[in-house]
Amino acid sequence: MARTTDRSTTHLTRRLVQLYVGLALYGASSALLVRAGLGLEPWGVLHQGLAERTGISIGVVSIIVGAVVLLLWIPLRQRPGLGTVSNVFVVGLATDGTLAVVGDLDALGVRIPVMVLGIVLNGVATGLYIAARFGPGPRDGLMTGLNQITGRSIRLVRTAIEVAVVVTGFLLGGSLGAGTVLYALAIGPLAQLFLRLFALPEASGPGVVVASGEPSTSVPAAGSGPVAAPTSGQAILPQ
């Protein structure tokens, strides 16, 4: 019994470490894309645009937007987990912290590698925090909630959300560019790769993994119809 308890405690500790390292790296990756100045990920475009208009730091804007999106879960009947709430705060704080350490970059020969590093690091971070299974991020919950309410496919709902976010962010002054396109093309394969890499075995047995990166009944294929909302222990892999 003691051995089982110790194993469960170790497993939980590893999941928590993986969650918070992943969220911190996600914020760092967003900051690197900002410093590269070659285009941000869709929500980053919105955050930067709002930051330009309000004078608030991009990290604080990220926290505010995440909190607002989380409030939208209430009518959509989504259930947050520890990872959901942590996502709102840790990513924004890590973004501002990294921006404070990494200064402006001028040379294109430096900015391009930093852009690529930011995108790859974002894939690593996504794999880490999703595989920890502490709940989807606020934006993923918005996607699955709208999928349930409207009956539209995951692909259509996610595309509509991100197009609206990018257009709004761009009109507010957010940065679009090669980095935005490269991110859109690369993040799915990268997240899938690192989700497999960071998959954790179940605490009750070494032969079962909690996130393999393979399609399952909880993650619909792109273009599928309504799906059940993820529980607090599930997350949605970016489509």
Side-chain angles (χ1 to χ4, degrees), residues 14-227:
R14 180 178 170 183
R15 288 175 60 206
L16 286 168
V17 170
Q18 189 163 309
L19 169 68
Y20 288 107
V21 169
L23 293 177
L25 289 180
Y26 197 101
S29 70
S30 296
L32 291 179
L33 290 175
V34 171
R35 288 301 188 220
L38 297 171
L40 305 179
E41 75 279 15
W43 285 92
V45 177
L46 177 62
H47 298 156
Q48 188 182 52
L50 288 171
E52 291 286 339
R53 294 287 181 171
T54 62
I56 302 173
S57 73
I58 192 170
V60 173
V61 168
S62 173
I63 293 172
I64 294 171
V65 170
V68 171
V69 171
L70 193 55
L71 289 176
L72 295 176
W73 281 34
I74 297 173
L76 295 175
R77 298 181 180 179
Q78 300 294 289
R79 291 184 296 170
L82 173 64
T84 310
V85 179
S86 298
N87 184 299
V88 173
F89 296 99
V90 176
V91 171
L93 292 173
T95 299
D96 276 352
T98 304
L99 288 173
V101 173
V102 180
D104 293 332
L105 304 174
D106 297 321
L108 188 61
V110 176
R111 291 162 60 202
I112 291 176
V114 168
M115 175 192 70
V116 173
L117 175 61
I119 293 172
V120 173
L121 191 61
N122 193 278
V124 173
T126 301
L128 279 168
Y129 87 79
I130 286 180
R133 290 196 318 142
F134 278 107
R139 296 152 186 84
D140 287 328
L142 177 63
M143 174 186 68
T144 55
L146 289 174
N147 164 259
Q148 279 190 299
I149 296 296
T150 65
R152 301 297 183 180
S153 69
I154 286 288
R155 173 185 293 173
L156 179 60
V157 170
R158 188 177 186 94
T159 300
I161 291 173
E162 297 205 349
V163 167
V165 164
V166 167
V167 170
T168 303
F170 178 70
L171 292 176
L172 290 172
S175 175
L176 279 177
T180 310
V181 176
L182 184 58
Y183 179 92
L185 295 174
I187 191 58
L190 284 172
Q192 193 82 357
L193 169 65
F194 290 110
L195 182 57
R196 290 195 186 102
L197 183 63
F198 298 121
L200 295 172
E202 289 281 11
S204 58
V208 181
V209 295
V210 300
S212 65
E214 298 297 333
S216 70
T217 55
S218 63
V219 181
S224 62
V227 297

